[in-house]
Amino acid sequence: MKNLFTVLLICMFKASLSQSWPIAEIVDTVQTAVPDQSYALYLPLNYDAEKKYPVIFFFEPLARAQLPLNLYRDLADKYGLILTCSNNSKNFTLPMASLDAADAIIKDVFAKFKVNEDMTIASGFSGGSRVSMAVATQFPAVRGIIGVGAVGPMFSEHTLKGSHRIPYVGLVGDKDFNYLEHYRGERLLTENGVDNIRLVFNREHQWAPVDDYEIGLIWMIKKLDQSGAMAIVNKPLIDDYLQKVSDSVSIVDAARISKCFESDFGVDVIDMSVDASLLAKEQKKLTKAIEVEEKLRLQLEDSLHTAFKLQPNKNRNSAMNWIISTGLTHKRRKEQYQKRDPYRALMYARVFNFIKASGYEFAMEGLIRKNYTQAYVAIEICSSMIENERWENWMKCKLYAMNNDIPTATHYLEKLIKSGFENGKALQADSTFNVLKDTKPYIELTSRNH
């Protein structure tokens, strides 16, 4: 088998020599040697097929492969990077499916392009960040990780340790419900002997803004570029970034990040010094907010599990009602505490976002596993947080269609249409709704899209 794989790589490499790849354009689908495994590709401006290039292997939680490539393509041009993103790896699938996707992509990229073996990075957002850690710990070809919006691995055996000798960049929004995970994760990585840095930006749960990601990228390049060939110590860029951080996130995070750059880059950065007594007070406020957040998260997690065991009825499911009430209360408190205690305000924002995200994730999981009680309860929770009538009606229509309850599914389809939904093609593309194809609202909606 080993010889066969070697022959396959040689054949693929020879074939790639005769293939011309678009430069500075996103290629939606590059087929690998594995059937049904493909990825999006971006080759940087001024790409030269005779040179070796660093590669970032992106993993997107919803398999929106073009998203990170579009977002960071200017960085690829600026630093000379090949960008790839799987079309197959995504949340709500078996974890091994993502590792299979990574295996196919890594082999394909090494076969088709010249790669700087010392500068290969796995990067992902949310569930894709967890995939990135798994990929880096399971595939020796990957040398660094840039994780956005999540730190923990998919399984304990994928935990990053000092013995892996893989540096880690963590990027997280200060209102991201996974901020707490990054906060604790930084300490765990350090205790495990992992060279790491945690960068914070002023956002919720999303891919990092380009300028924040760029700072994480140059930190990673410095750690991986032992030869110094790509040495990047752009002091004005770092100063601009640190100034932005000081204006947009907490004093504690800004001071911590500034200190990291002074020690890791060995350069004098702009004066970010804060009075020691003031910093100590601010740290105490942050610590207190984190402690409260941990307690609230545990209470909410327990209540979620209880809610899924009770009847999916607002009049009888006290746990579900408590979660919804708590979420809406924290949404109000976020505004109330904005001026008097920003740390507490951010904490309430993260807890609210946690309830919203948990509702969404458990709703999707419930539908996939055909756990209709869980799906219904989770839909009620999430829709109460986002106040999105279309999403709620779509999900409930899907839920009852899966349960073959045609009258109730049709009722929610009618409500979906009344809320302004007009995408009949999306309805046809989801086979779940096939049971409704003979109903009047389905026929009328889909006929308008032809």
Side-chain angles (χ1 to χ4, degrees), residues 250-322:
S250 72
I251 293 175
V252 175
D253 276 326
R256 177 186 53 77
I257 293 170
S258 176
K259 186 176 181 180
C260 286
F261 273 89
E262 284 187 308
S263 59
D264 288 342
F265 280 75
V267 295
D268 293 328
V269 298
I270 60 172
D271 185 12
M272 300 288 291
S273 59
V274 180
D275 178 75
S277 60
L278 173 61
L279 186 59
K281 290 179 181 178
E282 295 292 310
Q283 180 64 61
K284 187 175 181 180
K285 290 180 182 178
L286 174 60
T287 301
K288 180 61 178 179
I290 290 293
E291 290 173 351
V292 174
E293 184 174 354
E294 287 180 320
K295 292 178 181 178
L296 288 172
R297 286 280 293 262
L298 288 174
Q299 290 174 357
L300 287 164
E301 287 167 3
D302 288 342
S303 295
L304 278 167
H305 292 300
T306 300
F308 297 147
K309 296 176 182 177
L310 301 177
Q311 293 186 31
N313 185 309
K314 281 189 174 181
N315 295 325
R316 299 182 180 181
N317 198 319
S318 57
M320 177 179 72
N321 292 332
W322 180 82

Side-chain angles (χ1 to χ4, degrees), residues 101-357:
D103 184 46
I105 294 170
I106 291 170
K107 288 175 180 175
D108 196 76
V109 169
F110 270 81
K112 288 186 170 114
F113 307 99
K114 289 189 175 181
V115 176
N116 181 341
E117 295 89 348
D118 296 326
M119 301 286 289
T120 49
I121 301 166
S123 183
F125 163 61
S126 194
S129 179
R130 304 189 196 286
V131 171
S132 297
M133 184 173 287
V135 169
T137 56
Q138 299 301 302
F139 297 91
V142 176
R143 303 298 175 84
I145 308 171
I146 300 179
V148 184
V151 180
M154 293 192 294
F155 296 110
S156 59
E157 58 263 35
H158 301 147
T159 300
L160 189 61
K161 301 177 182 177
S163 57
H164 289 114
R165 296 184 178 179
I166 296 174
Y168 185 93
V169 173
L171 288 141
V172 66
D174 56 4
K175 291 179 281 294
D176 190 328
F177 55 86
N178 279 336
Y179 177 92
L180 181 60
E181 182 180 313
H182 275 264
Y183 182 87
R184 295 302 188 203
E186 178 187 25
R187 179 180 298 177
L188 289 173
L189 288 169
T190 302
E191 289 175 353
N192 283 341
V194 177
D195 194 0
N196 74 98
I197 188 171
R198 176 170 60 93
L199 305 177
V200 179
F201 51 92
N202 182 22
R203 294 288 192 281
E204 295 187 5
H205 189 62
Q206 64 184 71
W207 279 99
V210 177
D211 50 354
D212 294 270
Y213 195 91
E214 180 176 14
I215 292 296
L217 178 63
I218 65 174
W219 183 91
M220 180 61 68
I221 290 174
K222 179 173 176 58
K223 295 296 179 179
L224 297 180
D225 183 28
Q226 300 299 320
S227 67
M230 289 186 66
I232 301 170
V233 182
N234 188 331
K235 189 176 184 301
L237 178 69
I238 295 172
D239 283 349
D240 287 346
Y241 167 75
L242 292 175
Q243 185 62 60
K244 187 197 78 166
V245 166
S246 70
D247 295 336
S248 61
V249 302
S250 72
I251 293 175
V252 175
D253 276 326
R256 177 186 53 77
I257 293 170
S258 176
K259 186 176 181 180
C260 286
F261 273 89
E262 284 187 308
S263 59
D264 288 342
F265 280 75
V267 295
D268 293 328
V269 298
I270 60 172
D271 185 12
M272 300 288 291
S273 59
V274 180
D275 178 75
S277 60
L278 173 61
L279 186 59
K281 290 179 181 178
E282 295 292 310
Q283 180 64 61
K284 187 175 181 180
K285 290 180 182 178
L286 174 60
T287 301
K288 180 61 178 179
I290 290 293
E291 290 173 351
V292 174
E293 184 174 354
E294 287 180 320
K295 292 178 181 178
L296 288 172
R297 286 280 293 262
L298 288 174
Q299 290 174 357
L300 287 164
E301 287 167 3
D302 288 342
S303 295
L304 278 167
H305 292 300
T306 300
F308 297 147
K309 296 176 182 177
L310 301 177
Q311 293 186 31
N313 185 309
K314 281 189 174 181
N315 295 325
R316 299 182 180 181
N317 198 319
S318 57
M320 177 179 72
N321 292 332
W322 180 82
I323 293 168
I324 293 172
S325 175
T326 299
L328 296 178
T329 297
H330 290 345
K331 185 179 181 180
R332 292 192 298 270
R333 286 178 176 172
K334 174 188 70 173
E335 303 300 330
Q336 295 169 355
Y337 278 85
Q338 195 65 54
K339 292 183 178 180
R340 54 176 166 161
D341 190 345
Y343 297 100
R344 186 64 67 98
L346 287 170
M347 181 272 292
Y348 283 129
R350 292 193 293 267
V351 173
F352 172 80
N353 290 332
F354 168 74
I355 296 173
K356 178 172 62 176

Side-chain angles (χ1 to χ4, degrees), residues 427-448:
L427 207 65
Q428 289 175 309
D430 191 332
S431 60
T432 302
F433 300 107
N434 287 348
V435 296
L436 302 177
K437 63 182 179 180
D438 294 328
T439 65
K440 183 178 178 180
Y442 184 98
I443 293 170
E444 290 180 351
L445 180 59
T446 54
S447 64
R448 292 203 295 266

Side-chain angles (χ1 to χ4, degrees), residues 77-95:
D77 293 339
K78 184 175 181 179
Y79 297 107
L81 311 169
I82 294 175
L83 306 183
T84 73
C85 186
S86 171
N87 285 316
N88 303 92
S89 174
K90 59 183 178 180
N91 289 357
F92 310 114
T93 57
L94 293 174

